[in-house]
Each structure stands twice: as C-alpha cells, then as structure tokens.
Amino acid sequence: MSNQAERPKEQPPQVGFGGRRGGPMQARINKEKPKNMGKTILRLLKVIGRSKYFLICLLLTMSAVTVMDLFGPTLQGNAIDTIRLEDGRFTVDLGEMKKVLAQMLLLFSVSAVFTYFQSILSAKISQDTVFAMRNDLFAKISRLSIKSTDSHRHGDLMSRMTNDVENVSNAVSQSIASLFSSLLTFVGALIFMFRCNVIVTLVAFITVPMTIFVSTKLAKFMRRYFVQQQILLGKLNGEVEEMVIGYKTVVAYGKEPETIERFGVISEDLRKTSIRSRVFGSIMGPCMNFLGNLQYVLVASFGIFYVIRGRMTPGDIQAMLQYSRRFNRPINEIANQYASIMTALAGAERIFEIMDTPDEVDEGTLDISAESIRGNIEFKGIEFGYVPGEPVLKGLNLSVKQGQKIAIVGATGSGKTTIVNLLTRFYELDGGKIYVDGTDITELPKKTLREAIGIVLQDTVLFADTIDVNIRYGKPEATQEEVRFAAETAKMDGFIRRLPDGYDTVLTEGGSNLSQGQRQLLAIARAVIANPRILILDEATSNVDTRTEMHIQQAMLELMKNRTSLIIAHRLSTIRDADKIVVLRDGVIVEEGSHDELLKKKGEYEKLYQNQFAGIAT
C-alpha cells in the first residue's frame, strides 16, 4: 500500500496558530476580537526603531518642513495685508509685498529640498523595516517545531511573509512621515492660532470632541473587517498553493469544477469582506471632512465678526482659516489612510502571532558527536497522539540492537510513520521514553540526534539547484568522489552522466524535471553520502519499477551493513530478509519475528501477506 494514504490519519488536522480548526470548504471568518492595537503599534515601533539614526534624521527633517509650512499662512496673511482700502480705493505697499513674496519663495524652495530628503529617508526606513521583519519572520519559521508548521496551511504562512509584510511596508512609507508631520502641525497651528485670536481658536475647538467621538466609534467598528480580510487572503493563498502543487491529481480525478467552486467560495468571502473594509474604511474620510468644514465655517464666521470690530485683519482671517485646516490634519490624515493603516496593523498582528509561537524546544545538553552514536534504540511505554484524546501509539515497547534491520508493517493509520516522527523528535512524546545507546533522546541535542539519522521518505523533497548540490545536501563538504559513489550506490550515476550538464544539471522546483522514481533515487544518494548511524527508509522504493527496485535493494544491503535500519514497508516482498518484522495494529505491536516465523503463526502478518500476494490492497 502507499504510505501516502496512511499519513492523513496519523498527522494532526489543519489548525491555525490561533487553534481554530478550518478548511477550504468552510472558509469561516474568525470572529475573535482583534488583539490589542496599542501593543501591536508599540512592537511595530520597536522594529522601526532599529533604524534609529535614519529615524532621528527623518524626524528632524519633518520638523523643519513642518515649521516652514506653518510660517506659510502667516506670510500669506502678511502679503494680503499689504493691500489696504483707503478712502474707497485699494492701495498696495509694493515694497513690503516684494519683501514678503521673496520670503515666501525662499521658504517654499528650502521646504521643497527638505521634503525631497524626507521622502528618501522615509523610503529607507520603510525598506529597512521590511528587511528586518522578513528576516526575523523567516528565522522564526526555521526555529518552529514540525508540529507548528504541520498544523498550519503553508499558503497562509507564505501570505504572512509576503502580503502582510508588504502591507506594513506601505503603511510605514506612507503614514509615519505624514502622521508625525500632522502632529507637529497640530501643535504649531494651535500656537499660531492662539497668537492671532484666542476666542476664535476656542471656537475651533468645538468640533474636536465630536471628531474624537466619531473617529473612535468608527475605528472600533471597522477594525474587525481588516483582520478578517487578511485571514481570508491567507486562506486564498493556501488554496492556490494546493491547486498548483496538486494540479496533476486534480486533473486526473476530474476535480477542476470542485476546486474552482472551493476557490470561488473563499474568493467571494474575500471580495465581500474587502468591499466592506474599504466602504466602511472610506466612511471616516467624509465624516472628518464634514466636521472640518463645520470648523472652517465657525472660524470664518467669528473671524469676520472680529474684522468688523477691527480686532483682526483680512490677512489674519486667511491665516486662521489655513491654520484651522492644519489643525484638523492629524485626524484627517488618519481618516484618509485608515484603510492602509488598519490593513498594516492586521498584518503586523498576524506576523507577531507567529513570532510569539514558542520555538522548538531542545533541552539536550549532552556533549556527544553524531559519529560516536552506535545505534541501539529502545522504545519504552510510548504514548502519543496528534490530537488530545485520540492516541496513535498506546504503550508501545520496541528494542532495536545496533546493526539490526527492523521492518515495521501494519494497516494504514496503525502508527508506523509516527514512530519515525518521535525518534527524530519532530513531535514530542505524551508518555514513555526513547533511548539511543541507553541515553534518553531528550538529553541529546536535536542537531546531534538528527545528524546521526538518515531518512529516505516516500515523498522526496528536492531543491531548485544542481543535482550535485542536492546529493551533498546533508554533507556540503563532501568530495566529488563521494558524490559519485553515492550516485553509483543509488544506481543513478549512469543516468546523471547522460544528462547534457551531468551533475551540474539544475533541477526545477521540487525536481519536477525528473521522474518520480529518479527523484527517489536521488534522495537515496543523499542518504548514502550523509553516512548516518541510523537509517530510516519510509517506503523508499515504492516509486521505482521492479527491476530498479532489485538493484536498489542490493545497494541498500550494502548501505545498511553495520547500521541500525528501520524500514517502513507496504510491499512485504521487500522486507523478507529483515532481522525482525514488527506488526502494528491500532498503535500496539501485535506480532514480531522473522518473515518465516510470522507466516507460521498465521496471524496478522500472514493475513497482510496473503492479501498482498493475492493482489488485494492492504
């Protein structure tokens, strides 16, 4: 039987980092309240703060631009006041106007230069932030346990690495400068307004409580849609990834309509949520504009009243009106950029969610090298389940001596692959102990333990690089002679030499320019060159033809000499010469012995063997 059919029962169900189950057919919206916005902003500022020197320069530049911008309305008001009405006639103080216009020209020119440098610094900080976040996130993913990555859709993980980080980048480049500048403008405008007229300034404050109330309520209401949008985008990427990777299977089974329908469900949910987020996000802009215009009318009305009383000049009114616009800028900036800011914060939350996931635990401190491991293995009272309350292994006991070749067989879902996952510490035990050379494997550093174990899986993983690099993946320092020897052992050297570029042939992603059998042979060569003390073959010859299998079996006999070997097999004909065959059923060893001994018992193994011999799938 194919091991591929076994794994869905042994592996955990798809759950997100938040612990909620879900699949593409469900595409349900996570209704949980979003995390603390303030905490997310503070963490984001810490990341941005890594470019502190550029940030300081940016803040100083923005301060200079803001101060120059604040002097603009005052100069414009002075220019207007050079025009006077005397005896029913307008007169202009040309000398004074020329002086003011020259000051304005100089001010705006210098401001333009500073604004140019401000945009450069803003772009620099934005890209540095993206660089830091992507590097931190990638490094974090490399430290996660297999359990964490197995329990999360890879497309969603990639979405956090690309879309979410890019959204943060856009918000940083567009929002930081404008928001900080707006805040400075708010304070500066307030000072200039108080200098012009205290009463009119207090009138302008009438709309502030209304503005704060409306913006707070709208923000609380709309925020959830931006979080939902990012979650659905991750699900959509996961669905696309599954379609691309499993395209041949989809076509072979004629599942294109179902796949399109499933994609359409998620895409429709994303479309609706995106529309809601954008529509509701755009509500804030008009609301803030209305309140800003109301303030404008109030300032103009009271200003005219004071002009009539002779306590303000027309230039003062013009300056006050412009300052009132700047007075509202911080809230208007937030309103106009609310969609991108909320999307970025939602993305940042999803990134920090992964960053907060505990690293893979490695409590092993024993100072030992992989070469010194002999290969005695003992499983004692192993208890394990991927899902609480659903045990896969139940009190399993198994002893493997150095150099022994042990075959593990059993029906689908009996726990064969789980034994390998636990030995390599891809998952941690719920109960019991595993010993290597009498040492609890939790005392061995994981790096040492895994260096001592060579694995050939049924599902071969190859990288988009040369054949040479893929073979020496587990031993980069290997010589060319060692690479050739490994290829010869795997019966692949002749095929590789016939390729136009030989060992320098570049493989496509996943090695798709090789046949499935050739990919498996290459994986076997990779295990040969690693020279492990313990060898695990997870149905390693299932994808090759019978003749090639015979050659590989001969090569494997050489490879397995003086090595402890665990063979997970479904083709029982490939394990006849194993030192011991272990039969699993429902997570328990029900039989063990040699091939002939187990056939004589006429038990579980004999049933599996007869069924397979008769051509019936086990």
Side-chain angles (χ1 to χ4, degrees):
M1 286 184 62
S2 168
N3 190 36
Q4 201 152 352
E6 174 189 7
R7 286 194 178 137
K9 289 193 176 184
E10 292 192 25
Q11 296 295 345
Q14 292 292 334
V15 294
F17 277 97
R20 290 181 174 266
R21 297 185 189 183
M25 290 298 292
Q26 298 163 333
R28 296 290 181 252
I29 305 297
N30 188 342
K31 296 295 185 182
E32 288 187 66
K33 291 182 179 180
K35 295 181 180 179
N36 186 282
M37 184 190 296
K39 182 180 177 181
T40 302
I41 292 174
L42 288 176
R43 291 187 66 173
L44 194 55
L45 288 175
K46 286 182 180 179
V47 179
I48 297 171
R50 295 183 190 180
S51 305
K52 59 183 178 181
Y53 296 113
F54 288 104
L55 186 60
I56 291 172
C57 290
L58 176 63
L59 297 180
L60 291 175
T61 305
M62 285 191 298
S63 300
V65 171
T66 302
V67 170
M68 286 185 279
D69 181 62
L70 287 170
F71 274 103
T74 298
L75 292 176
Q76 292 172 23
N78 293 340
I80 291 174
D81 286 340
T82 59
I83 305 172
R84 300 182 178 87
L85 180 62
E86 296 177 355
D87 300 327
R89 297 177 58 187
F90 283 103
T91 61
V92 179
D93 187 342
L94 290 177
E96 183 65 22
M97 177 172 281
K98 289 179 181 179
K99 179 181 176 182
V100 173
L101 291 177
Q103 292 173 345
M104 291 174 61
L105 178 62
L106 176 63
L107 183 72
F108 294 149
S109 299
V110 175
S111 178
V113 173
F114 273 78
T115 302
Y116 171 72
F117 285 108
Q118 174 184 309
S119 64
I120 294 177
L121 290 169
S122 180
K124 170 69 176 172
I125 292 172
S126 170
Q127 291 308 308
D128 283 353
T129 302
V130 170
F131 176 80
M133 292 191 76
R134 282 205 176 120
N135 281 3
D136 290 348
L137 185 57
F138 192 85
K140 178 65 179 184
I141 292 173
S142 71
R143 298 194 302 271
L144 292 178
S145 65
I146 300 294
K147 181 179 180 180
S148 295
T149 54
D150 274 355
S151 63
H152 202 274
R153 296 191 72 181
H154 297 167
D156 183 58
L157 211 56
M158 293 168 61
S159 178
R160 300 183 193 223
M161 175 69 75
T162 53
N163 297 327
D164 291 340
V165 173
E166 192 61 34
N167 288 331
V168 172
S169 169
N170 292 336
V172 169
S173 62
Q174 297 171 12
S175 302
I176 283 187
S178 61
L179 293 179
F180 181 77
S181 176
S182 297
L183 184 61
L184 291 178
T185 301
F186 173 82
V187 175
L190 201 58
I191 294 171
F192 276 91
M193 287 177 73
F194 272 117
R195 287 181 60 191
C196 286
N197 191 290
V198 174
I199 301 299
V200 176
T201 303
L202 293 175
V203 169
F205 260 98
I206 293 175
T207 60
V208 172
M210 291 186 289
T211 301
I212 294 174
F213 176 79
V214 172
S215 61
T216 302
K217 292 297 181 182
L218 285 176
K220 185 177 180 180
F221 175 73
M222 292 182 289
R223 178 163 162 69
R224 62 182 180 181
Y225 290 107
F226 293 97
V227 176
Q228 292 167 5
Q229 181 181 345
Q230 294 306 107
I231 292 172
L232 283 172
L233 186 59
K235 287 186 176 181
L236 192 72
N237 286 338
E239 192 64 30
V240 172
E241 183 197 30
E242 287 184 358
M243 173 63 176
V244 172
I245 293 175
Y247 182 69
K248 290 182 180 178
T249 303
V250 172
V251 173
Y253 283 90
K255 295 295 183 180
E256 297 95 327
E258 289 90 337
T259 303
I260 293 171
E261 180 183 359
R262 193 163 59 240
F263 179 86
V265 170
I266 302 174
S267 184
E268 176 66 11
D269 282 344
L270 178 60
R271 183 184 71 84
K272 290 179 180 178
T273 304
S274 298
I275 290 174
R276 289 191 188 103
S277 65
R278 296 296 169 181
V279 169
F280 290 130
S282 62
I283 287 176
M284 189 176 285
C287 289
M288 296 303 103
N289 286 335
F290 170 77
L291 292 173
N293 290 331
L294 176 62
Q295 183 191 67
Y296 192 87
V297 170
L298 291 173
V299 170
S301 301
F302 277 81
I304 291 172
F305 173 77
Y306 279 102
V307 169
I308 295 173
R309 291 292 187 90
R311 296 174 62 180
M312 290 180 67
T313 66
D316 290 336
I317 293 181
Q318 189 274 344
M320 286 289 287
L321 289 174
Q322 290 200 46
Y323 283 129
S324 70
R325 288 295 191 191
R326 286 163 171 76
F327 181 77
N328 278 323
R329 182 181 295 179
I331 300 174
N332 288 334
E333 288 287 352
I334 293 174
N336 293 331
Q337 299 185 32
Y338 188 78
S340 63
I341 293 172
M342 287 299 101
T343 300
L345 289 177
E349 281 185 349
R350 283 160 48 82
I351 294 168
F352 293 140
E353 189 176 23
I354 296 179
M355 299 297 292
D356 292 338
T357 304
D359 288 351
E360 183 179 28
V361 178
D362 187 4
E363 64 274 53
T365 57
L366 197 62
D367 187 13
I368 186 173
S369 65
E371 292 76 14
S372 63
I373 292 177
R374 300 189 301 276
N376 294 297
I377 307 171
E378 188 169 5
F379 298 83
K380 280 191 175 182
I382 303 303
E383 300 281 348
F384 177 78
Y386 293 104
V387 179
E390 298 179 20
V392 176
L393 297 179
K394 309 165 188 176
L396 182 136
N397 294 289
L398 176 62
S399 181
V400 184
K401 296 188 182 303
Q402 177 183 352
Q404 271 192 323
K405 182 165 65 172
I406 305 297
I408 304 173
V409 301
T412 297
S414 59
K416 300 183 296 298
T417 301
T418 299
I419 292 176
V420 173
N421 287 339
L422 297 177
L423 176 60
T424 53
R425 294 195 68 190
F426 290 161
Y427 288 81
E428 299 300 330
L429 298 169
D430 293 335
K433 296 285 185 181
I434 300 177
Y435 298 93
V436 172
D437 296 339
T439 302
D440 188 338
I441 61 172
T442 59
E443 298 178 14
L444 296 172
K446 287 185 176 180
K447 187 175 187 300
T448 301
L449 176 66
R450 291 167 184 171
E451 283 179 352
I453 300 174
I455 305 178
V456 180
L457 299 173
Q458 180 184 8
D459 302 322
T460 304
V461 176
L462 299 177
F463 302 95
D465 211 319
T466 64
I467 291 177
D468 180 87
V469 170
N470 272 278
I471 291 177
R472 66 171 77 228
Y473 185 75
K475 189 180 179 182
E477 72 279 5
T479 64
Q480 198 61 46
E481 289 72 22
E482 290 176 307
V483 173
R484 295 281 170 80
F485 173 77
E488 289 171 359
T489 303
K491 307 301 179 185
M492 204 179 181
D493 180 65
F495 160 73
I496 296 174
R497 288 178 181 273
R498 288 193 296 272
L499 294 174
D501 296 321
Y503 283 84
D504 292 326
T505 299
V506 177
L507 302 180
T508 55
E509 185 178 359
S512 58
N513 51 341
L514 298 179
S515 70
Q516 196 165 12
Q518 289 166 344
R519 293 199 294 270
Q520 204 150 27
L521 289 170
L522 202 153
I524 292 170
R526 180 189 290 168
V528 172
I529 203 170
N531 193 25
R533 294 294 183 266
I534 300 170
L535 188 64
I536 296 174
L537 305 176
D538 189 349
E539 196 57 35
T541 61
S542 62
N543 293 323
V544 296
D545 58 81
T546 305
R547 182 171 180 177
T548 304
E549 181 184 10
M550 292 174 60
H551 290 304
I552 292 177
Q553 287 295 329
Q554 294 171 3
M556 285 300 167
L557 288 175
E558 284 296 318
L559 176 62
M560 289 188 285
K561 281 182 179 178
N562 301 319
R563 288 185 175 86
T564 304
S565 303
L566 298 179
I567 307 168
I568 297 175
H570 295 86
R571 286 190 200 171
L572 303 185
S573 59
T574 64
I575 58 170
R576 296 171 63 103
D577 60 342
D579 296 319
K580 181 165 63 174
I581 298 173
V582 175
V583 183
L584 283 178
R585 184 177 64 197
D586 296 328
V588 177
I589 296 176
V590 293
E591 291 179 343
E592 56 182 297
S594 68
H595 173 75
D596 294 333
E597 289 171 349
L598 292 177
L599 285 181
K600 289 177 183 178
K601 287 184 179 181
K602 295 189 179 300
E604 190 78 17
Y605 181 79
E606 196 265 347
K607 290 179 185 178
L608 292 171
Y609 187 78
Q610 291 300 333
N611 285 342
Q612 195 170 100
F613 185 75
I616 302 174
T618 58

